[in-house]
Amino acid sequence: MITQEMLPNTFKVWFNDIEITQYFYVKTDSGRGIFGREIDMLSVPGRAGGYLRKTNTPVRPINIDCFFSFADEFELRKKLEELNVILHTEEPAPLIFSDEPDRIYYAIFQNVSEGYENKGTYQAELNFVCPDPYKYRATEAVGYYNQETLQSGIVLKNSGAAATPPTFEVTLKDKVTYLDIAGENDYMRVGTSESTEDTPYDKYQKVWESTPTMTGWASASYVPDGGIKTGTMTVQNGDFVATDYGTGIAWHGPAVMQSIGSVLSDYYFRVYFNVSSNHGQLTRCEAYLLNTSGQPIGKLVALVRHASSEVEVEVNIRSGGKSTYFVNQKWKFRSFLGYIDIEKVGQSFVAHVAQQRIGEDGKIYTSEKYAFSFNDLNNEFQEDLAAVGLHIGANNTNTPGIARFRGAEVSTVNQQENGVEYIGGAGDTFTFDHKASRIYKNGELFMRKDFGARFFELAKGMNTLIFNPTEAIDHVKVRWRDRFK
């Protein structure tokens, strides 16, 4: 039987930036050598051989034959629990080997082939699969280009052995209705290029935005649904939080309100939340839409009302004695770091619920977003928006969880016939991720891609690219990893 002393301990493997060889020794691995491909052949009756139709690069399996050695069965079980947590990612993650430190495989753990087990020793083969079969240079190639250097186009050199997907970050210095990235054979476009007959316009015009202070907020004139107004709200690290929930037999906590400085029949209202709890904690954040009398005409809600700690999201509109929840469901994540918004244009109401995450660069981006709609055919919910309210609540004597408002904003919604909407302005950054086939505006999904545009790759060697409208672009940052087989 193989023992710990028989195996070298210098070979290391990292998965998702964690060294997994702290748990085992590597006997052998496979899948990183000469890589095959699939051949599609057409056979023709009566003719020898066949015709080559196409070749295809399949997914890449990587298998690691491992030997685990610990003091006893108890320690082995605990270490395997820890390793299970590391291996079970939801998406492909970087897989790096110490004999190939300048290359990254993007792999997801698939299954395990178990061998023998004896006391604290255990043999198994870990099976990974790389949906993207290529490996990548560990260090990114980065290019930074200001408006002057963009005038005549830029040239990017892909030094890898295969075409590779880039990421473009385009930061604006002026308003645009479209953005183009054009190569020799491909192009990417978002928005619409206006003609001489078109009039560009801003669809949304912000009229109010919260600031990280309680200045301008007053005690609410409304009573929070199903509870009472009590306690104190303040700002901590830029978030609105409850420092005192008061007491009550149902929902109770502070509630404040502030005028938006306008009275809007059509509007857009977005609120950023951070809501979560541990088992048994109950908590809620409710952002109210208020009429000219300071009474609710709707609300956006993230709450935990069950001991199982599931976050729920709600969007409500109301008028007089009529009320409807056209979003009322359990959220798919255990915590809600995200936003809820509502847009009203005439009889049409549209709401979005979005989960956000913090990226490697420390910036917040939207990872998932869902839309919901309601048509007010009978004109039952047509009161104007004049103010907004915030309420943070606890329930009875239950300990509240995390309940924070990260900010809020209100905009007018403009409609213009024979016009072309501006998609961005000074300071906005559009990110074109050609590997993930996604477009972001300031970290927010913005998939308004032109029908004929496509996510392209940088060809091996030199690539010439043109960005338009150049005069409205402040600078462009390009990132990619050279690709190898």
Side-chain angles (χ1 to χ4, degrees), residues 313-430:
V313 291
E314 298 176 347
V315 175
N316 165 259
I317 52 177
R318 65 184 74 171
S319 181
K322 295 181 178 180
S323 174
T324 184
Y325 286 80
F326 68 95
V327 179
N328 185 5
Q329 63 184 54
K330 292 180 180 178
W331 189 230
K332 63 182 296 185
F333 300 96
R334 298 293 294 182
S335 62
F336 182 46
L337 178 72
Y339 67 80
I340 305 175
D341 63 30
I342 184 170
E343 178 178 325
K344 176 187 177 295
V345 178
Q347 296 175 315
S348 174
F349 288 84
V350 177
H352 296 93
V353 183
Q355 184 79 7
Q356 296 181 301
R357 299 185 186 277
I358 301 175
E360 294 180 359
D361 57 1
K363 297 180 180 179
I364 294 177
Y365 70 96
T366 300
S367 58
E368 298 198 40
K369 184 176 179 179
Y370 302 90
F372 307 84
S373 61
F374 175 81
N375 199 338
D376 184 20
L377 294 174
N378 297 319
N379 294 316
E380 296 175 318
F381 306 103
Q382 294 297 311
E383 289 195 65
D384 295 340
L385 176 66
V388 299
L390 302 179
H391 162 63
I392 301 176
N395 189 274
N396 203 339
T397 58
N398 295 283
T399 302
I402 295 174
R404 307 174 77 97
F405 289 107
R406 298 184 291 129
E409 61 187 57
V410 176
S411 298
T412 59
V413 184
N414 304 312
Q415 301 294 317
Q416 184 171 319
E417 294 183 6
N418 301 321
V420 178
E421 178 190 346
Y422 285 116
I423 62 170
D428 287 332
T429 296
F430 286 82

Side-chain angles (χ1 to χ4, degrees), residues 227-228 230 245-254 391-397:
I228 60 173
T230 180
Y245 287 89
T247 58
I249 60 173
W251 289 107
H252 55 89
H391 162 63
I392 301 176
N395 189 274
N396 203 339
T397 58

Side-chain angles (χ1 to χ4, degrees), residues 11-14 32 62 64 95-101 105:
F11 190 81
K12 299 184 183 297
V13 181
W14 293 265
R32 297 190 295 133
I62 295 181
I64 304 175
L95 181 63
I96 301 174
F97 296 82
S98 60
D99 64 348
E100 204 177 11
Y105 299 86

Side-chain angles (χ1 to χ4, degrees), residues 152-173:
S152 57
I154 63 173
V155 178
L156 306 177
K157 183 181 179 180
N158 171 13
S159 300
T164 189
T167 296
F168 302 99
E169 298 176 10
V170 182
T171 301
L172 302 178
K173 63 183 298 184

Side-chain angles (χ1 to χ4, degrees), residues 59 69 283:
V59 300
S69 180
T283 196

Side-chain angles (χ1 to χ4, degrees), residues 63-80:
N63 304 312
I64 304 175
D65 193 359
C66 310
F67 176 72
F68 297 77
S69 180
F70 294 100
D72 52 35
E73 296 94 329
F74 179 81
E75 185 180 8
L76 173 64
R77 292 287 166 230
K78 294 303 179 185
K79 294 299 183 181
L80 292 179

